[in-house]
Amino acid sequence: MVDFLNRLVLSVDAASASLVGAFLFFAPHLAGDFFFSRTCDGVHLHLIRCVGGQILASALVLHRFRNRAIETQTTCFVLRITACILGLLLLFHARSATPDLIQPTVLKTLIYSAIAGIVIYVVAIFRAGWTVGDTLHRENRVGNVLYQLDSIASICIGVAWLAVPQWLLHRQVRVEMDASHEFCGRVMGALFCASHIVSSHALHWKAAADRSLAIDARAVMDPDL
């Protein structure tokens, strides 16, 4: 029963993420204009497209992992919980620091959606028993090092975008940066930070096929590196 519910949750999430990611990736001008209630510039469009690509990649990961072992499904749960928590922090910060940045109705919908996602995946991970795998393939030294390096890189890149998005962008563009550009960059950073879970957990997965899937997952989840 738990496995069926896990597959159902991951399948629904993958379908939803595919729709949202495709909208952001293929129509960033529509998404940005609606989200910020303003005409967005090229920097907005690039950042929104990057966020859409990451969400599309996460949908592929959830789709491919939905029928795998319980420890890989748990990784998907932790991935989503982390992304939702970081997203909530960004939304609460935007609501208090820049109240006019995002449409109030959109902001409230996003906050409630993130809270709902946290609740759903916390319940799912408790039902799954917090299984993360108990096998460390010590003989695969090169692979273990690469997984850990990838995890470290995801955290460092993500934190950089969360902390100083304007500094990362100011030498690349001629457009004057404002809070909306910073918000888009920080969302991208939050998704980078959350994605490190895949490499961290893959170290302890039993099946070689799952570990191979993790490599594919990381390749598609870091399209902007």
Side-chain angles (χ1 to χ4, degrees), residues 55-157:
I55 295 175
L56 275 175
S58 71
L60 177 61
V61 171
L62 297 182
H63 175 74
R64 298 191 68 178
F65 282 0
R66 75 190 192 285
N67 292 320
R68 306 303 299 179
I70 189 65
E71 58 260 29
T72 57
Q73 293 181 345
T74 301
T75 298
C76 295
F77 301 157
V78 178
L79 173 69
R80 278 299 191 242
I81 291 172
T82 305
C84 287
I85 290 175
L86 293 175
L88 267 182
L89 293 175
L90 293 178
L91 292 171
F92 285 141
H93 176 266
R95 186 175 67 177
S96 60
T98 52
D100 298 327
L101 179 63
I102 305 171
Q103 290 190 56
T105 303
V106 175
L107 181 61
K108 185 179 297 185
T109 301
L110 291 173
I111 289 175
Y112 287 148
S113 298
I115 293 174
I118 292 172
V119 172
I120 290 171
Y121 279 112
V122 165
V123 172
I125 202 170
F126 270 103
R127 289 175 64 88
W130 289 82
T131 304
V132 295
D134 55 4
T135 303
L136 181 60
H137 300 269
R138 299 183 184 279
E139 70 282 358
N140 186 19
R141 294 183 178 181
V142 175
N144 292 340
V145 168
L146 292 177
Y147 282 127
Q148 293 178 74
L149 288 177
D150 182 78
S151 180
I152 293 170
S154 297
I155 294 173
C156 292
I157 293 171

Side-chain angles (χ1 to χ4, degrees), residues 21-36:
F23 176 59
L24 295 177
F25 187 83
F26 293 107
H29 56 293
L30 296 178
D33 293 352
F34 171 75
F35 194 76
F36 296 117

Side-chain angles (χ1 to χ4, degrees), residues 158-171:
V159 169
W161 277 106
L162 281 169
V164 287
Q166 194 165 12
W167 176 72
L168 292 173
L169 288 169
H170 83 285
R171 290 186 179 275

